[in-house]
Amino acid sequence: MSLIKQIASSRSSLLKPFITSTNLVRRSFSSDSSSESALSIETSIPFIGHRIDPPSRTVETTPNELMDFFKTMVLMRRMEIAADSLYKAKLIRGFCHLYDGQEAVAIGMEAAITKKDAIITAYRDHCIFLGRGGTLVEAFAELMGRRDGCSKGKGGSMHFYKKDSGFFGGHGIVGAQVPLGCGIAFGQKYSKDGSVTFTLYGDGAANQGQLFEALNMSALLDLPVILVCENNHYGMGTAEWRAAKSPAYYKRGDYVPGLKVDGMDALAVKQACKFAKEYVLKNGPIILEMDTYRYHGHSMSDPGSTYRTRDEISGVRQERDPIERIRKLLLAHELSTEKDLKDIEKSARKEVDEAIAKAKESPMPDPSELFTNVYVKGYGVESFGADRKELRAVLP
Amino acid sequence: MDRDPRVCVVGEDVGHYGGSYKVTKDLANKFGDLRVLDTPIAENSFTGMAIGAAMTGLRPVIEGMNMGFLLLAFNQISNNCGMLHYTSGGQFTIPVVIRGPGGVGRNLGAEHSQRLESYFQSIPGIQMVACSTPYNAKGLMKAAIRSENPVILFEHVLLYNLKETIPDEEYVLSLEEAEMVRPGEHITILTYSRMRYHVMQAAKTLVNKGYDPEVIDIRSLKPFDLYTIGNSIKKTHRVLIVEECMRTGGIGASLTAAINENFNDYLDAPVKCLSSQDVPTPYAGTLEEWTVVQPAQIVTAVEQLCQ
């Protein structure tokens, strides 16, 4: 039946990016490199451009950077898995959207930009918050609704923010963050501070009208905004070929140039983001499509296997896992040993466990916090009687 | 905009055209195209963009060409504008002003005669004010721009041609205060926006008949100025609310509930609320007249309440 054929062909296309590349690693320096010397590494596949010349496949990096990538990605992966168990233990409630499998996008982006640049994303925001400088304790406390959370426990999983390092959240309504992101870029252009905004959205949100409206306005005004489509191929339960007539999201901008990137390769993401940042500061918006994959379901209430096969998930995990790719690079260039990497994983696990324990100690917010931060100055809580002295009612 | 370089205007045809009701006339010539931004017709997105810009520190004034068009931006106004300060734990403030002409005009048809104050009043985190005279329009606009909270300023299509002498000096009105239009003894009439003029017309008739109505323009639609209103009720013991909103779920309905809850002991008669009919506004002039409250109806209601 055609449906099965379509599923089979789309599954193989998910595995394709790795299979077509054979020359993953190319050494250009001697093996006993000091920690400062540069390495040139080729990305898994070349970039594909739409109305633009794609950047080169060769990425400059350093051993330190690769180790950093590994450490942080392992931490992110651990955090998401721990959030999974916390959710099943009913310490995290409501909606919990996990990012494991997509860590390379967060890491590669951070490596290419500064904290002055802004990132805004949708609800799958835990790892990006971590990448922007958020601590594990703040993240877990917010997930559990405690006072020490980054939004004081009042936001939850979908509302992580970190203003001082340019992380604008954390938004629940699909696609609503795209006009916000273009607005942040408008503010950056208005104040002329040379920073850019990365507006992340998913393949599901790519069909929202407000995205095209915002793209039109950004292109008109030459705003420094980079729209990044994190294409994990499923909008909750709907595969991309069922939702979009043209799933080539990097081409959807039509008059706006686009770039298709292998989102499981942190170095490719870094190269693309660096290229994009230079481009938009001169020429206006660009779309990046990150071809990535999530191992968990859409959220914790979705098993993730009703619309895709377990073989597909384990296939991608074997062939294209971002952490495994960095691990192989580190071992092949002899920048680290198996034992060291295992130790890093162990210490990440320990760090996450300690953070969870600390977050559990934090208390729930005080009941008076219900009314704070509704208005600036906390207005709107009490209504006074005619003589302003007796308190007649507390407005709900 | 002179005082603070972060203030900018965003809306359809606000720049080169000068605004559909000439509110932003000549501003683009003075401040440039980036500060007085002509947007394409995409209310949801340009409201979202203005809110995003506010998150970085700018203070945009968003114009809806007609308030009814802002229904398209309801998601952005409700979720992002109203709630971001709360869900981010106080990290982000959204100092936007959303303004535009609303209300029933002359033969504009159903979709261009909407009163959005009833839809927006439940959104937590926003403040709503309605201006009615040139004096309070200027004062409230200044206050709204200076406020750190998102403020929705409701103007009325038919009130743009009013002329009044206003002071040359700088003045800023309070966003949470009601205005005492005519002090009186017998009955409190609460109103806002264009209905103020219908009430004042009715007041002339009432004075001739021997009544002494106290007319208050509530101005602040969210939150209500229960202090001024309460003082008035304590004096007169009777309340009539005259508004242009629909009967169901309108500002009058909320105000009635608030008054009954807080000032029940002081009332001699039940609160009466005169609002527009729960119908789409018809095009025909005579029908349109009967959807909104007319001075004759106000006079009858006062006579009934004061028996």
Side-chain angles (χ1 to χ4, degrees), chain B residues 244-288:
Chain B
E244 204 174 349
C245 245
M246 315 280 220
R247 184 72 189 88
T248 312
I251 297 286
S254 305
L255 194 50
T256 310
I259 292 175
N260 278 328
E261 230 168 59
N262 291 315
F263 306 117
N264 198 24
D265 298 334
Y266 297 98
L267 288 172
D268 280 348
V271 178
K272 190 158 169 66
C273 182
L274 292 176
S275 354
S276 301
Q277 305 306 313
D278 279 323
V279 295
T281 314
Y283 165 71
T286 44
L287 290 179
E288 189 184 58

Side-chain angles (χ1 to χ4, degrees), chain A residues 106-284:
Chain A
I107 283 287
M109 197 179 288
E110 279 304 324
I113 60 177
T114 69
K115 290 287 186 282
K116 257 186 40 167
D117 298 312
I119 298 185
I120 187 170
T121 181
Y123 40 78
R124 213 177 286 279
D125 54 353
H126 307 166
C127 296
I128 304 200
F129 172 71
L130 217 61
R132 285 263 97 178
T135 65
L136 283 170
V137 179
E138 275 177 350
F140 282 116
E142 184 62 37
L143 285 172
M144 295 195 273
R146 305 301 170 101
R147 201 178 295 188
D148 291 326
C150 53
S151 304
K152 300 192 191 150
K154 296 198 278 196
S157 159
M158 296 189 282
H159 297 285
F160 280 28
Y161 301 89
K162 197 161 174 60
K163 184 172 184 183
D164 48 13
S165 50
F167 181 49
F168 287 79
H171 295 275
I173 305 290
V174 169
Q177 77 275 12
V178 179
L180 284 185
C182 296
I184 297 170
F186 178 78
Q188 289 172 331
K189 179 167 180 157
Y190 197 98
S191 49
K192 300 193 182 79
D193 58 9
S195 49
V196 299
T197 305
F198 282 82
T199 305
L200 277 64
Y201 58 96
D203 46 297
N207 299 313
Q208 274 261 326
Q210 48 189 326
L211 197 148
F212 297 97
E213 293 176 4
L215 194 59
N216 179 35
M217 273 191 269
S218 317
L220 265 178
L221 298 169
D222 281 331
L223 297 182
V225 63
I226 298 148
L227 274 76
V228 179
C229 178
E230 293 180 293
N231 183 5
N232 55 24
H233 306 284
Y234 295 96
M236 203 159 96
T238 310
E240 60 175 344
W241 52 269
R242 283 179 64 216
K245 186 74 179 169
S246 158
Y249 298 109
Y250 69 108
K251 284 196 192 151
R252 285 282 212 64
D254 187 25
Y255 42 83
V256 171
L259 204 62
K260 187 165 163 128
V261 185
D262 178 8
M264 305 296 255
D265 180 356
L267 293 168
V269 173
K270 174 186 156 187
Q271 179 88 323
C273 291
K274 224 160 81 173
F275 173 76
K277 177 171 172 173
E278 277 161 23
Y279 180 87
V280 298
L281 280 173
K282 284 185 271 178
N283 300 337

Side-chain angles (χ1 to χ4, degrees), chain A residues 163 190 213 375-376 386 392, chain B residues 5 45 91 126 149 231 262:
Chain A
K163 184 172 184 183
Y190 197 98
E213 293 176 4
Y375 296 102
V376 179
R392 291 301 291 276
Chain B
S45 299
Q91 287 180 62
I126 57 161
N149 292 312
N231 277 345
N262 291 315

